[in-house]
Amino acid sequence: MSIKVQQTSSKLVGPIYNGDEQPPPATNQFAPLSVFDWYILPDEHVPVIYAFKAPTPSNAFLEQGLGKVLSEYRVWAGRLGKDENNHIIILLNDKGVRFIEASADRTLEQVTPFSQPNLLTLHPDFDGMKEILIIQLTRFTCGSLVISFSSNHMVADGFSVSQFLVSWGRVCRGLDISPRPLHNREIFVPRNPCRIEFDHQSLEFTKGVINEEFIDPSNIPPYSEEDVIYHKLHFPIELIAKLKSKAGYSVSGKPYTTFESLVAHLWKTITKVRRLACQTTEIKIAVNGRRRLIPRVPDEYFGNLVLCAYPVAKVKELTNGTLSNTASIIHESVVSLNDDYFKSYIDFVSNDMQGENPMPERGERTLVALWPNLEFDSWLGFPFNEVDFGSGKPFLFMPSFDSLEGLVYLVPSIDGGVDVYLCLFKQQMAFFEEICYSID
């Protein structure tokens, strides 16, 4: 069932400072981007969808709480700009977050699970927007509320976004922000002398672009953008336990994680469904560096601190090999992004930032698919389900739809299992649904 969503209000919400205790800071300050922020394209935005059942707080109440929490997270209310060296910076000018109020003509129950067209009405299009953060509150006729949080990825990664949302909820409930965020983006200092030990130019700044002109014809997807559909899977705790048991143990003697076991299963399954003609396929996995750098960076660090691993496997290995072997390929690739790797990256980007243009220009993606590859974005371990604005936790949170075949999100489910949101071609969905839960 389709829904009609009508925007009733659109305004800018800036930080609210607490008088003498927290006087307004100067609005001519700026925050430089870190070497990990440079890894993100400036126009990359990520919408997150939250759904809360009635009764829910009023829009005015949520707006007031947002203004208060922005006094601690000023970067969201700023704008991207450039300094005298042509480096992108965050202007701390307090111009505000775009705050949109909207209403839907259906009950939430009538339109869940969300179809692709309905999902896209729940958050605005970022095109042409100058704001770093856009929030839309959509009220349904039953009193339920959907909050979309669409942020510029160059400012913060998913872990930081989840921490901010928890803080917004705490402020709305009259609680202190705890722990307080660490906003210093200049803590990543290059070594002296620099030791660039890996090919970061190729790994961090080239692999993200897929251009039809430079790839083998056998690797070009067989269908068009109109054929890409969004699909949700649910893996309950019991099925996850079976997958982990089947995956077994790594060479270190530790069992493979939920993430490694599930990604291995999905990689094998999707490879079978695609019936690839190429020899190899790879996956892209975002790796949080907070606990990999030595000394460890606190979880409350606000910004980006992610690099990507690229496990590669032969198609025949995936289709005919064991789950344990695939989990091993994933595990070895991810653990290779250790302290040495992250520090080599810091040295590489810090050295390159001495020039006028800190990073080479990256071209635009010309294909609508990651074929024959995949990208797994894991939100497992993020405290998204701790968001509470005063009327309870969300009954649903999820990424929005991005028409990029091969993109997969892993999201912790309310029941303790894992929800999987993925984009595949509709022509392959019947076979996928037939085998996706089979672990024999």
Side-chain angles (χ1 to χ4, degrees):
M1 179 179 292
S2 63
I3 57 173
K4 182 179 179 181
V5 174
Q6 181 177 3
Q7 292 188 8
T8 57
S9 172
S10 178
K11 67 181 77 171
L12 292 174
V13 175
I16 297 175
Y17 299 102
N18 190 17
D20 295 335
E21 295 181 21
Q22 191 183 22
T27 55
N28 59 354
Q29 302 172 340
F30 69 89
L33 296 179
S34 80
V35 294
F36 294 100
D37 300 327
W38 283 116
Y39 182 44
I40 311 299
L41 290 171
D43 59 351
E44 186 174 339
H45 305 99
V46 181
V48 183
I49 304 295
Y50 279 84
F52 298 84
K53 291 183 177 178
T56 56
S58 69
N59 291 359
F61 180 81
L62 293 169
E63 179 184 341
Q64 182 76 4
L66 176 63
K68 291 178 180 179
V69 77
L70 287 175
S71 67
E72 181 63 53
Y73 291 86
R74 291 185 68 203
V75 291
W76 288 133
R79 299 290 184 268
L80 294 181
K82 291 191 176 182
D83 64 12
E84 63 276 9
N85 296 316
N86 203 35
H87 294 176
I88 298 176
I89 57 176
I90 306 171
L91 303 172
L92 302 177
N93 52 24
D94 290 352
K95 288 195 173 181
V97 168
R98 177 63 57 183
F99 188 80
I100 298 171
E101 298 173 88
S103 61
D105 63 346
R106 306 284 183 185
T107 67
L108 190 56
E109 186 176 21
Q110 287 177 310
V111 295
T112 50
F114 295 120
S115 66
Q116 292 165 210
N118 286 346
L119 193 57
L120 295 175
T121 66
L122 299 176
H123 63 84
D125 192 335
F126 241 99
D127 288 347
M129 292 285 191
K130 297 180 179 179
E131 293 82 11
I132 290 174
L133 171 61
I134 304 176
I135 294 171
Q136 179 172 314
L137 310 183
T138 304
R139 297 277 173 182
F140 287 75
T141 57
C142 58
S144 297
L145 171 67
V146 168
I147 300 178
S148 75
F149 186 97
S150 303
S151 58
N152 189 309
H153 196 348
M154 201 173 206
V155 172
D157 58 23
F159 192 84
S160 289
V161 166
S162 65
Q163 297 278 24
F164 171 79
L165 287 162
V166 171
S167 296
W168 182 13
R170 289 182 64 87
V171 169
C172 286
R173 303 198 315 271
L175 303 175
D176 291 335
I177 297 173
S178 179
R180 302 190 78 85
L182 171 62
H183 288 295
N184 185 1
R185 296 176 186 244
E186 299 180 272
I187 62 175
F188 306 111
V189 179
R191 293 169 292 188
N192 187 12
C194 289
R195 298 199 306 275
I196 302 171
E197 303 168 284
F198 303 91
D199 184 9
H200 299 289
Q201 178 60 58
S202 296
L203 292 170
E204 271 71 47
F205 298 100
T206 303
K207 272 186 174 289
V209 177
I210 299 178
N211 193 313
E212 185 173 346
E213 181 182 355
F214 300 108
I215 65 176
D216 189 290
S218 65
N219 292 347
I220 296 176
Y223 307 109
S224 67
E225 183 176 9
E226 290 70 29
D227 296 313
V228 178
I229 61 173
Y230 201 34
H231 188 67
K232 178 184 177 182
L233 304 172
H234 175 63
F235 286 82
I237 295 175
E238 297 77 15
L239 187 54
I240 293 291
K242 290 180 181 179
L243 281 173
K244 293 179 68 174
S245 176
K246 190 174 180 65
Y249 296 82
S250 68
V251 292
S252 66
K254 295 182 179 180
Y256 289 114
T257 64
T258 294
F259 172 81
E260 291 165 341
S261 303
L262 182 53
V263 170
H265 171 70
L266 292 169
W267 193 10
K268 286 171 62 65
T269 302
I270 296 172
T271 300
K272 290 177 183 177
V273 168
R274 282 170 158 177
R275 295 185 172 95
L276 297 174
C278 56
Q279 297 295 313
T280 62
T281 174
E282 72 177 16
I283 56 177
K284 178 181 178 181
I285 297 173
V287 178
N288 187 345
R290 289 168 176 79
R291 302 184 184 186
R292 293 173 181 266
L293 279 162
I294 302 173
R296 173 177 165 175
V297 176
D299 283 349
E300 52 266 30
Y301 171 76
F302 186 83
N304 287 287
L305 188 36
V306 168
L307 294 177
C308 289
Y310 293 91
V312 180
K314 293 181 179 179
V315 171
K316 288 185 178 180
E317 285 182 343
L318 294 175
T319 55
N320 301 324
T322 65
L323 184 68
S324 181
N325 181 65
T326 305
S328 174
I329 294 171
I330 295 166
H331 175 80
E332 293 303 318
S333 181
V334 170
V335 298
S336 69
L337 268 65
N338 54 19
D339 177 69
D340 289 338
Y341 190 90
F342 274 83
K343 285 180 177 172
S344 173
Y345 172 83
I346 293 171
D347 291 349
F348 170 76
V349 180
S350 299
N351 183 66
D352 204 56
M353 285 181 70
Q354 304 308 311
E356 181 179 351
N357 296 307
M359 280 296 113
E361 292 290 333
R362 285 192 277 179
E364 295 296 323
R365 185 188 303 278
T366 61
L367 297 180
V368 298
L370 293 170
W371 185 288
N373 304 321
L374 294 167
E375 177 178 337
F376 286 89
D377 291 337
S378 175
W379 293 357
L380 304 179
F382 292 2
F384 281 115
N385 59 357
E386 296 178 18
V387 175
D388 182 352
F389 295 104
S391 61
K393 297 178 181 180
F395 81 92
L396 170 71
F397 72 95
M398 62 182 291
S400 185
F401 170 68
D402 185 346
S403 59
L404 180 63
E405 186 272 350
L407 181 61
V408 185
Y409 286 92
L410 306 184
V411 180
S413 175
I414 300 299
D415 68 0
V418 178
D419 291 330
V420 178
Y421 296 89
L422 76 166
C423 293
L424 291 177
F425 292 124
K426 63 184 179 183
Q427 292 87 343
Q428 300 171 331
M429 190 55 68
F431 184 31
F432 177 79
E433 290 181 321
E434 180 182 332
I435 67 173
C436 66
Y437 291 118
S438 174
I439 61 173
D440 297 328

